[in-house]
Amino acid sequence: NGELGLVRLGACEVIDGDEREHAVRESHARRRHGDPPGVVVVVAAGNSGTDTPSYPASLSTVISVGALDEAGTGLATFSGRGRWVSVAAPGTAIIGPVPGNRFAEWSGTSMATPLVAGQLALLAGIDGLAAKVKPEEVTKKRRELVTRSARSLEGTKDGTVDLVGSLTLAAENADRRRARHRPGRSGR
């Protein structure tokens, strides 16, 4: 319905002319001009296993995603880590389709990133933000739904993604907005 734009990127280094760098810069330029509202850039934190920031994952305007270990209790040994990593999601032993009508198991922050992009898509379906707040606020508020509901995890800024927590928070926020705008109320 045009209310959410997602850009999901794998990790990359600073390389002149890189397509990923161009995509990030273009999405930020669009956001500065308010078109389209709600664009959220979700970036894999990289598989270096270190706290050395990578680009574009270390930009403060993106949601940088690390990978959880198989148990889901900490970061995978290969995952980028540090205060520049926004959240972590399952990214170890992920089974997915490969050419030839087969499936394979993969691990990496690029496996975790689509889960956060999907979380944002679900949030866009229930939060009603595009119709309720200024376009330039939509991206910020959607990012906050993901990061504020995250459960604390060492090695990340905000923690482990919590899909149920973020959906609950979005629903509560939508209920509060509806209550403020009921007929007979001033909305103040």
Side-chain angles (χ1 to χ4, degrees):
N1 64 6
E3 290 188 9
L4 175 68
L6 284 171
V7 178
R8 186 203 63 84
L9 303 172
C12 63
E13 303 295 322
V14 178
I15 301 171
D16 290 336
D18 189 272
E19 287 180 30
R20 295 174 185 151
E21 180 178 341
H22 175 73
V24 170
R25 288 182 186 198
E26 184 176 316
S27 70
H28 288 295
R30 286 182 182 166
R31 270 194 273 163
R32 276 195 300 276
H33 301 343
D35 180 31
V39 171
V40 181
V41 180
V42 183
V43 183
N47 300 323
S48 68
T50 71
D51 62 1
T52 302
S54 67
Y55 180 86
S58 59
L59 293 173
S60 63
T61 54
V62 305
I63 295 180
S64 167
V65 183
L68 291 170
D69 59 23
E70 269 192 273
T73 57
L75 285 173
T77 57
F78 59 79
S79 180
R81 60 196 65 243
R83 299 287 300 159
W84 59 276
V85 177
S86 305
V87 295
T92 305
I94 304 297
I95 297 173
V98 295
N101 281 339
R102 297 186 2 233
F103 290 87
E105 182 178 285
W106 298 86
S107 294
T109 58
S110 291
M111 301 295 108
T113 304
L115 298 174
V116 176
Q119 178 182 15
L120 283 158
L122 284 171
L123 290 168
I126 67 166
D127 68 14
L129 284 171
K132 305 293 183 194
V133 299
K134 293 184 247 178
E136 58 273 13
E137 290 292 310
V138 173
T139 298
K140 177 184 172 196
K141 292 194 177 294
R142 287 199 174 131
R143 176 179 165 69
E144 286 174 358
L145 287 171
V146 171
T147 58
R148 283 185 41 222
S149 63
R151 296 181 315 254
S152 179
L153 178 71
E154 186 176 335
T156 66
K157 180 179 174 190
D158 298 304
T160 302
V161 293
D162 181 351
L163 179 59
V164 173
S166 65
L167 293 171
T168 301
L169 187 59
E172 289 169 354
N173 290 346
D175 287 346
R176 279 194 293 278
R177 281 193 302 276
R178 278 192 293 277
R180 283 194 307 261
H181 292 73
R182 283 195 184 121
R185 292 190 55 117
S186 66
R188 299 188 209 303

